[in-house]
């Protein structure tokens, strides 16, 4: 598909920036590659990829858990499963969702009954992003455990994956600057036989869109095997004790969302230059 970005990493970082600005969470540019809860590491400034350095669930990390008051043999620190939601949809600034006109796409079988469908209108001259998930399930670390993990010195220089969205179907779209209207729908096709020991048949899904420009990525499976979105947290730095005392923080309050590690990007995914003493530089 034709793209106006000069390099793949420009598109990736722009998509991450746009979705992060809206959700406070990091999108995974490669959802089939799992980003597990409990991983810790850093975001690569040049690509936007998360590079794990370890996991709180590894054998090597168990001594740290013990010193933090967590029994590695218990399930206290294991990620908790949240109830499945019907869908998760988000889009960036400069994008407006409007009703998909089913009559205009009457030739697309099953579009009227599509579980997720819509048309997204991108402002001309701007870049927009859309992220859609079907039946997402969230795994997350509880607030009590986060409170104990915050005392571990190793994690204080890392970002921790505290929440991950798992889904069987995702769609990601990054527009160009043409002001395109893009329609997207998740269509049901023929049901597939359910595995032995499960009840009923599962509908096989497929994505449809009419995009003519920009970048689109999507995937469909019957299992929750994609991780398109995850939450990163960083241990909050302690304030100077001479400063005005702040309320006692506990649990998740001991952590903050780390900012994007690159300078703001323009509509082409390039870092915006910063002028210092008549010279040009960038973050």
């Amino acid at each position: 598909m034709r793209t106006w970005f000069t390099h793949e990493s420009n598109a990736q970082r722009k998509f991450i920036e746009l979705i992060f600005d809206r959700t406070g969470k990091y999108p995974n540019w490669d959802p089939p590659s799992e980003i597990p809860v409990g991983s810790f590491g850093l975001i690569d400034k040049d690509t936007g990829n998360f590079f794990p350095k370890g996991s709180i669930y590894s054998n090597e990390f168990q001594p740290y858990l013990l010193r933090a008051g967590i029994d590695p043999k218990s399930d206290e620190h294991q990620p908790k499963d949240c109830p499945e939601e019907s869908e998760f949809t988000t889009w960036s600034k400069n994008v407006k969702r409007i009703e998909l006109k089913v009559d205009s796409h009457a030739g697309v079988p099953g579009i009227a009954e599509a579980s997720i469908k819509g048309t997204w209108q991108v402002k001309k001259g701007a870049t927009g992003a859309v992220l859609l998930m079907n039946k997402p399930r969230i795994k997350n670390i509880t607030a009590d455990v986060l409170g104990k993990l915050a005392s571990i010195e190793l994690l204080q220089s890392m970002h921790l994956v505290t929440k991950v969205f798992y889904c069987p179907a995702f769609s990601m779209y990054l527009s160009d600057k043409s002001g395109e209207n893009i329609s997207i729908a998740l269509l049901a096709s023929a049901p597939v036989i359910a595995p032995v020991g499960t009840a009923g048949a599962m509908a096989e899904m497929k994505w449809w869109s009419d995009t003519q420009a920009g970048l689109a990525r999507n995937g469909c499976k019957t299992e929750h095997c994609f991780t398109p979105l995850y939450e990163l947290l960083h241990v909050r730095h302690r304030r100077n004790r001479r400063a005005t005392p702040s309320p006692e923080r506990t649990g998740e309050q001991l952590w903050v969302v780390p900012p994007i590690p690159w300078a703001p990007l323009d509509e082409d995914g390039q870092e915006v230059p910063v002028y210092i003493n008549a010279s040009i530089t960038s973050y």
Side-chain angles (χ1 to χ4, degrees):
M1 184 175 293
R2 179 178 61 86
T3 176
W4 69 107
F5 285 103
T6 57
H7 196 277
E8 175 79 3
S9 62
N10 291 346
Q12 178 173 344
R13 295 199 306 168
K14 186 62 178 176
F15 184 84
I16 291 171
E17 179 182 86
L18 290 171
I19 296 299
F20 178 84
D21 285 348
R22 181 53 58 99
T23 65
K25 298 175 178 59
Y26 282 78
N28 177 12
W29 188 244
D30 185 23
S33 297
E34 181 184 10
I35 296 181
V37 177
S39 301
F40 55 86
L42 298 171
I43 293 289
D44 180 62
K45 177 180 181 294
D46 296 325
T47 65
N49 290 326
F50 174 71
F51 286 146
K53 304 290 186 179
S55 170
I56 66 171
Y57 303 115
S58 67
N59 291 333
E60 295 78 11
F61 200 78
Q62 289 186 6
Y64 295 97
L65 294 177
L66 287 170
R67 289 196 289 271
I70 299 173
D71 182 1
K73 296 181 180 179
S74 72
D75 63 353
E76 173 191 1
H77 66 305
Q78 294 297 323
K80 305 304 178 185
D81 294 314
C82 299
E84 181 177 285
E85 301 178 15
S86 61
E87 64 180 53
F88 178 94
T89 61
T90 188
W91 50 93
S92 66
K93 63 181 181 180
N94 298 322
V95 178
K96 178 181 179 182
R97 185 176 185 175
I98 59 179
E99 184 179 357
L100 186 149
K101 297 180 180 179
V102 175
D103 294 343
S104 300
H105 304 288
V108 180
I111 194 167
E113 297 78 30
S115 55
I116 299 177
K117 60 179 179 290
T119 297
W120 284 266
Q121 188 178 67
V122 184
K123 181 181 178 181
K124 189 171 184 178
T127 305
V130 177
L131 173 60
L132 311 175
M133 282 184 269
N134 184 48
K135 296 183 177 180
R137 296 174 184 169
I138 296 174
K139 289 180 179 290
N140 70 289
I141 300 173
T142 65
D144 288 344
V145 172
L146 284 175
K148 296 179 180 180
L149 292 175
S151 66
I152 299 176
E153 186 175 355
L154 174 62
L155 295 181
Q156 294 174 5
S157 60
M158 299 283 177
H159 303 330
L160 178 66
V161 179
T162 59
K163 181 182 297 183
V164 177
F165 290 71
Y166 288 82
C167 68
F170 75 93
S171 181
M172 301 162 60
Y173 171 72
L174 180 66
S175 79
D176 64 4
K177 300 182 293 183
S178 63
E180 180 185 35
N181 283 8
I182 175 178
S183 296
I184 306 174
L186 181 60
L187 309 176
S189 57
V192 296
I193 299 175
V196 176
T198 62
M202 298 174 289
E204 192 173 66
M205 314 297 286
K206 63 179 181 180
W207 290 99
W208 167 90
S209 73
D210 63 355
T211 179
Q212 300 297 318
L215 290 171
R217 291 188 170 198
N218 58 66
C220 283
K221 297 284 186 180
T222 53
E223 307 85 17
H224 285 68
C225 58
F226 300 119
T227 54
L229 193 66
Y230 61 100
E231 179 182 75
L232 280 182
L233 293 181
H234 190 93
V235 176
R236 184 188 296 271
H237 294 299
R238 294 183 179 180
R239 295 182 60 180
N240 189 326
R241 294 186 181 275
R242 296 181 180 178
T244 304
S246 59
E248 185 68 23
R249 295 189 174 96
T250 60
E252 195 170 358
Q253 297 173 342
L254 296 170
W255 298 76
V256 294
V257 178
I260 295 286
W262 53 81
L265 305 177
D266 63 20
E267 301 302 333
D268 295 314
Q270 302 283 349
E271 292 192 21
V272 178
V274 177
Y275 294 85
I276 302 176
N277 295 331
S279 64
I280 302 177
T281 187
S282 56
Y283 290 94

